[in-house]
Amino acid sequence: MKQKKEDNGEAIAKSMFEMAKLKVPVIAIVIGEGSSGGALAIGVANKVIMLENAIYSILSPEGYSSILWKDSSRYKEAAEKMKLTAKDLYDLKVIDKIIKEPKGNEEESFKKTSRNLKTEIKSIISEMKNKNSDKIVEERYNKFRIMG
């Protein structure tokens, strides 16, 4: 039996509620296209980092333009209004860090991006490892409350 949309929304809300109470740090990493209700849930993380060329939103630009203008062909206009790029989301304080993606040879670019990501993850873990669980939960709550 197919799950109803209401059930999906409820599941996302419950996930966010439970995630907000976690006593350990949560790090979310957006590496490609994040455009679903699950994207909303990872926003509750203590730290959200995003690759420079990734996008992150709760709805695709096509879906947004279909809802707003009843015309999915206006997806480019919708994408601009949605503020789904790493820079936009950093400016809105939705994400905490942008990981640069070097241009050039695909294999070398991938390796360099992976190293940059590893360095950032280690830095976040180092920053958070001495915080007690109450502080971790409080910081997560405060971060979510001041978003964009």
Side-chain angles (χ1 to χ4, degrees):
M1 186 173 169
K2 237 180 176 181
Q3 198 175 25
K4 295 179 191 173
K5 285 188 179 188
E6 297 84 33
D7 293 340
N8 290 338
E10 183 179 352
I12 292 166
K14 283 181 179 178
S15 294
M16 291 174 70
F17 181 74
E18 292 302 320
M19 197 165 149
K21 297 187 303 183
L22 291 174
K23 302 286 186 183
V24 296
V26 177
I27 303 168
I29 305 164
V30 180
I31 61 171
E33 277 188 45
S35 58
S36 70
L40 183 61
I42 67 171
V44 181
N46 290 83
K47 299 288 181 179
V48 179
I49 56 181
M50 188 170 168
L51 295 184
E52 177 181 29
N53 297 311
I55 62 168
Y56 173 44
S57 69
I58 61 163
L59 186 62
S60 70
E62 293 84 359
Y64 181 89
S65 64
S66 290
I67 292 167
L68 193 62
W69 301 299
K70 309 285 188 247
D71 181 0
S72 64
S73 70
R74 294 176 66 182
Y75 67 91
K76 288 183 182 178
E77 183 181 355
E80 288 176 26
K81 287 187 177 295
M82 292 173 71
K83 306 288 184 201
L84 45 68
T85 68
K87 183 184 178 330
D88 289 335
L89 295 169
Y90 181 80
D91 291 344
L92 291 169
K93 297 181 176 39
V94 172
I95 66 167
D96 301 288
K97 181 81 176 196
I98 299 171
I99 304 298
K100 295 284 183 195
E101 294 183 80
K103 307 245 187 290
N105 175 296
E106 275 188 44
E107 186 175 340
E108 281 305 309
S109 294
F110 176 79
K111 287 179 181 178
K112 183 157 174 95
T113 301
S114 298
R115 284 191 301 269
N116 292 344
L117 195 52
K118 181 179 178 180
T119 299
E120 186 58 31
I121 293 168
K122 284 182 167 183
S123 173
I124 293 169
I125 291 170
S126 177
E127 170 193 332
M128 305 212 58
K129 72 179 177 184
N130 295 321
K131 294 182 180 180
N132 68 39
S133 58
D134 290 336
K135 184 71 172 167
I136 289 166
V137 174
E138 178 186 343
E139 286 180 356
R140 185 182 307 123
Y141 173 81
N142 290 335
K143 176 182 182 278
F144 192 71
R145 296 280 300 171
I146 65 166
M147 270 187 200

